[in-house]
Amino acid sequence: MWWFSRKGPSGFSASSTAEEVTQGIDGTGLTAIVTGASSGIGTETTRVLALRGVHVVMGVRNMSAGKEVKEAIVKEIPTAKVDAMELDLSSMASVRKFASEYNSSGLPLNILINNAGIMAVPYMLSKDNIEMQFATNHLGHFLLTNLLLDTMKKTTRKSRKEGRIVNVSSMAHRYPYREGIRFDKINDKSGYSSLFAYGQSKLANVLHANELARRFKEDGVDITANSLHPGAIVTNLFRCSSIVSGLVNTVGKLVLKNVQQGAATTCYVALHPQVKGVSGQYFSDCNIAKPSSQAKDPELAKKLWEFSMNLVK
């Protein structure tokens, strides 16, 4: 499709791959965490960062799947430094355990990629009794980020290198519930829509990154926070909807990105020198893009921060 190869100001387009956008970049000496790294764009993000010399710690729910990914990457790239640690974003206990183990490991942390996600699942509650998509896609990452911040700050001071937090959102952030975030009805079953709930969680990803960026700037911290839309991608995110899965398999190959293209914007925002000092932005196709008006609302971002803090206490 012609629009796929139309380049933006960065010099990259929707058809650019993760390898292409990181060509020539040396990530040696950097350490990154990638959540949801055992499948889809999380796996490709891990592979390409490792290819560029980054030590990648995969946060994975399924450790046997994580082990397989690690083995496949090391087989392809013998010099790759990849580790897997258990992480279930829908469980605060699991998030706390992961962060505690990571913080006590002595490893630095330059890059945090909040990539894991579930999409349009039927109504259910997490182990902490919070609607599952909000719990997994936003709240787990909110808590994880907060618990890892001290390690990131120490790393930036010691290495004198900018830290980067990357929230993988979606263009679905434009389609949440009418009020954006349903603060008073976060667990409401009667009005639940799997797609609007997904949109709500993805809106939260953008607002979270924006509020982090505001706080870092205010505190003079050398860490950036950005969010992005990876593109519509053929991945197992679609597994919960048989209709969507059918469409993806028939027409998807014409209009959807492959995994290599899908991981490009994440790798670009995480590693590229063009993004140095850029914070509080929303990216699509490896270029700065415009999010929805709700996503740009600083008061909504602050309200979500306070709401999330209360939920993780």
Side-chain angles (χ1 to χ4, degrees):
M1 297 289 182
W2 63 269
W3 66 83
F4 246 52
S5 53
R6 192 169 62 185
K7 291 177 181 175
S10 69
F12 300 115
S13 70
S15 65
S16 299
T17 66
E19 281 199 32
E20 287 167 358
V21 304
T22 57
Q23 191 67 46
I25 296 172
D26 184 6
T28 308
L30 299 176
T31 304
I33 289 173
V34 180
T35 70
S38 61
S39 66
I41 61 172
T43 297
E44 180 65 1
T45 299
T46 299
R47 185 187 74 82
V48 173
L49 291 183
L51 180 66
R52 301 301 175 222
V54 179
H55 177 191
V56 185
V57 177
M58 305 185 293
V60 294
R61 196 173 48 190
N62 182 334
M63 281 298 281
S64 60
K67 189 166 173 271
E68 281 176 25
V69 168
K70 177 185 172 175
E71 285 169 0
I73 291 172
V74 172
K75 190 177 178 183
E76 183 200 337
I77 313 157
T79 55
K81 291 167 77 176
V82 181
D83 292 300
M85 287 173 62
E86 191 171 354
L87 174 64
D88 178 356
L89 271 304
S90 71
S91 160
M92 288 190 219
S94 176
V95 172
R96 290 183 193 281
K97 183 171 182 282
F98 175 95
S100 173
E101 287 175 2
Y102 191 92
N103 289 334
S104 58
S105 71
L107 284 171
L109 182 58
N110 304 89
I111 302 163
L112 172 60
I113 298 176
N114 291 320
N115 165 81
I118 55 173
M119 178 183 177
V121 298
Y123 179 85
M124 62 182 100
L125 296 177
S126 71
K127 289 171 186 167
D128 305 293
N129 288 315
I130 295 156
E131 187 275 309
M132 189 59 94
Q133 294 191 83
F134 190 80
T136 306
N137 298 353
H138 166 64
L139 203 62
H141 284 126
F142 175 85
L143 177 60
L144 179 69
T145 304
N146 278 4
L147 295 174
L148 293 171
L149 268 184
D150 279 348
T151 297
M152 280 199 88
K153 287 175 183 176
K154 277 179 205 160
T155 303
T156 58
R157 283 196 300 268
K158 202 171 175 183
S159 67
R160 296 189 177 174
K161 286 178 183 169
E162 168 187 276
R164 295 187 184 184
I165 295 171
V166 183
N167 280 3
V168 179
S169 177
S170 164
M171 71 177 295
H173 83 271
R174 300 179 187 281
Y175 310 104
Y177 294 104
R178 190 172 48 81
E179 59 269 51
I181 310 288
R182 305 177 98 197
F183 295 108
D184 301 325
K185 300 179 184 173
I186 208 72
N187 287 346
D188 182 40
K189 189 177 181 180
S190 61
Y192 180 77
S193 153
S194 62
L195 289 171
F196 288 158
Y198 179 67
Q200 169 180 251
S201 71
K202 295 288 103 181
L203 172 60
N205 293 155
V206 184
L207 292 168
H208 175 220
N210 292 353
E211 180 61 10
L212 278 169
R214 187 191 70 78
R215 286 166 177 261
F216 292 151
K217 188 179 178 184
E218 200 174 77
D219 298 341
V221 175
D222 192 19
I223 301 173
T224 63
N226 293 290
S227 58
L228 63 92
H229 167 52
I233 303 148
V234 183
T235 73
N236 62 1
L237 258 188
F238 295 116
R239 62 186 171 261
C240 288
S241 170
S242 56
I243 298 168
V244 175
S245 283
L247 280 169
V248 165
N249 291 332
T250 49
V251 301
K253 301 293 188 289
L254 297 174
V255 295
L256 297 182
K257 292 185 179 186
N258 60 33
V259 170
Q260 291 77 20
Q261 292 163 334
T265 306
T266 304
C267 290
Y268 173 77
V269 177
L271 271 192
H272 208 285
Q274 284 179 357
V275 189
K276 184 170 168 46
V278 177
S279 196
Q281 294 288 352
Y282 171 78
F283 289 78
S284 181
D285 299 335
C286 301
N287 284 275
I288 291 174
K290 277 188 176 176
S292 70
S293 55
Q294 282 178 322
K296 291 188 288 188
D297 183 345
E299 294 310 312
L300 189 60
K302 285 176 190 172
K303 189 175 179 183
L304 175 65
W305 184 279
E306 295 305 326
F307 180 71
S308 304
M309 285 298 283
N310 285 330
L311 286 176
V312 301
K313 272 177 186 170

